[in-house]
Amino acid sequence: MNGILVVDKPSGWTSFDVIAKLRGALHTRKIGHSGTLDPLATGVLPLFAGPARKAVDLPQRQDKTYIANIKFGIRTPTADLESEVCERRPCQITQTEFIRCLADFPRAYDQLVPMYSAVKVNGQPLYKAARKGKQLEERPARPVQLQELSFLQQLDECEFSFRVHCSKGTYIRMLVEDLAKSMGQIAVMTGLRRIQSGPFSIEQAHTMDEILSCAAAGGQSEAVNRLLLPADSVFEECPSLNASEELARRLLNGAPTHISKPNGTYRVYYQGEFMGLAQLEDRVLRVKKLFCDRD
């Protein structure tokens, strides 16, 4: 197997649950993932199989798009429904008021990381302190950008659904609390679905049932391979470069090569096959990462 399997993660599964299940079903341990999802969340979870795993740590599109549900008037320690309600307030938020809140909310701000997260402070994951009942006010804040924040529909009294297109590292649970705070209210995230992660969309995703059905025919079967996207689909925004036999040979041997093209990162192909990425600087092309065998 060599490629990217976009999974539509079901609710109640951790990202590692998905990987563990598919490692067994597909008879390979060579599976990694990009962009974890909380158990409550569903949607796009890209998995990288075989040599394509080399793409996980490389620079790529990191923006995400979610459909989130927010319910005003209640609060939980985890900011979602994974924990018991710890506070209630009267709520009379109207659809018009929520739409105005989304329109007025800043599109760039420093967001506090949630207490229930794996972010470390003084070498200790925050969720461990949270489980002991501690609330660390000195926890870090991270800059986030919201390219889109738009109303979708009203689900119930004081419960709404909205769409957010955001930068990597944005915690939607915290965004829900921040939106409520801007209205002098409290709120909790009642649902979350990721519909886009970097270059991958929900339209490319496959359910676990579909994947496991294909795997039942054989972990390395043609049915499974048809579900995979090619490794180069991660780098669609990089220009392509068709290598000559001589250039391909030099890149395979790690030898710098002079060519006349604009600086940047290139997807390199030889005879129609994706070789990997190469970086061009001052007319010198060097291998960045190979996705093919050197023999």
Side-chain angles (χ1 to χ4, degrees):
M1 294 180 66
N2 179 23
I4 298 152
L5 179 61
V6 185
V7 178
D8 185 349
K9 189 189 85 65
S11 180
W13 292 54
T14 67
S15 299
F16 185 75
D17 288 339
V18 172
I19 290 178
K21 182 69 174 179
L22 293 182
R23 279 175 174 170
L26 301 176
H27 309 301
T28 178
R29 294 198 59 79
K30 296 181 179 179
I31 299 178
H33 73 282
S34 172
T36 58
L37 280 173
D38 289 340
L40 174 71
T42 67
V44 175
L45 177 66
L47 303 185
F48 295 70
R53 289 181 303 161
K54 297 176 183 178
V56 171
D57 297 326
L58 290 173
Q60 52 191 272
R61 273 186 61 191
Q62 300 283 0
D63 58 306
K64 311 284 197 299
T65 305
Y66 299 90
I67 293 175
N69 299 341
I70 178 173
K71 184 171 182 62
F72 290 92
I74 60 174
R75 185 174 69 85
T76 69
T78 56
D80 57 22
L81 296 180
E82 291 291 299
S83 58
E84 296 294 323
V85 173
C86 61
E87 183 180 359
R88 296 182 184 272
R89 292 185 195 173
C91 172
Q92 293 182 328
I93 303 295
T94 66
Q95 178 176 307
T96 300
E97 289 171 330
F98 182 55
I99 292 174
R100 187 182 304 121
C101 165
L102 294 177
D104 294 343
F105 196 79
R107 271 16 186 197
Y109 75 108
D110 290 336
Q111 184 185 71
L112 277 180
V113 300
M115 281 299 302
Y116 280 87
S117 69
V119 176
K120 292 183 177 180
V121 173
N122 298 323
Q124 186 84 339
L126 282 172
Y127 69 83
K128 290 190 175 181
R131 287 172 179 170
K132 296 176 182 177
K134 298 179 181 178
Q135 187 75 19
L136 303 182
E137 296 302 329
E138 69 273 18
R139 65 187 192 271
R142 295 176 174 176
V144 298
Q145 293 185 334
L146 310 174
Q147 289 92 339
E148 179 190 357
L149 199 56
S150 56
F151 173 81
L152 292 178
Q153 62 178 321
Q154 181 161 1
L155 303 172
D156 201 349
E157 185 180 7
C158 293
E159 186 173 10
F160 308 92
S161 134
F162 66 99
R163 177 186 173 106
V164 55
H165 180 198
C166 56
S167 58
K168 175 189 176 184
T170 304
Y171 285 94
I172 308 302
R173 294 181 278 143
M174 295 305 295
L175 174 61
V176 162
E177 288 199 335
D178 294 337
L179 286 168
K181 191 180 297 184
S182 73
M183 302 178 73
Q185 255 289 355
I186 58 174
V188 67
M189 186 181 75
T190 55
L192 183 66
R193 181 160 178 78
R194 186 158 69 191
I195 58 174
Q196 174 257 323
S197 178
F200 308 112
S201 69
I202 195 65
E203 289 76 21
Q204 297 169 302
H206 305 279
T207 65
M208 288 295 288
D209 286 345
E210 181 185 359
I211 298 166
L212 294 174
S213 176
C214 290
Q220 306 291 334
S221 70
E222 184 60 32
V224 171
N225 287 326
R226 280 198 296 268
L227 303 181
L228 300 179
L229 298 173
D232 58 341
S233 60
V234 181
F235 311 108
E236 289 178 343
E237 294 187 343
C238 299
S240 63
L241 172 64
N242 293 314
S244 64
E245 182 178 354
E246 173 63 15
L247 176 56
R249 182 185 63 79
R250 291 182 63 84
L251 291 174
L252 286 172
N253 291 324
T257 305
H258 286 79
I259 64 171
S260 295
K261 280 187 173 293
N263 288 346
T265 301
Y266 286 82
R267 290 176 287 134
V268 182
Y269 297 84
Y270 175 59
Q271 295 183 346
E273 296 294 324
F274 178 55
M275 289 184 62
L277 298 180
Q279 188 70 33
L280 182 63
E281 187 172 347
D282 297 331
R283 297 190 177 185
V284 178
L285 188 71
R286 292 182 172 86
V287 167
K288 191 169 185 178
K289 181 78 73 172
L290 289 176
F291 288 80
C292 60
D293 295 328
R294 291 178 180 270
D295 52 30

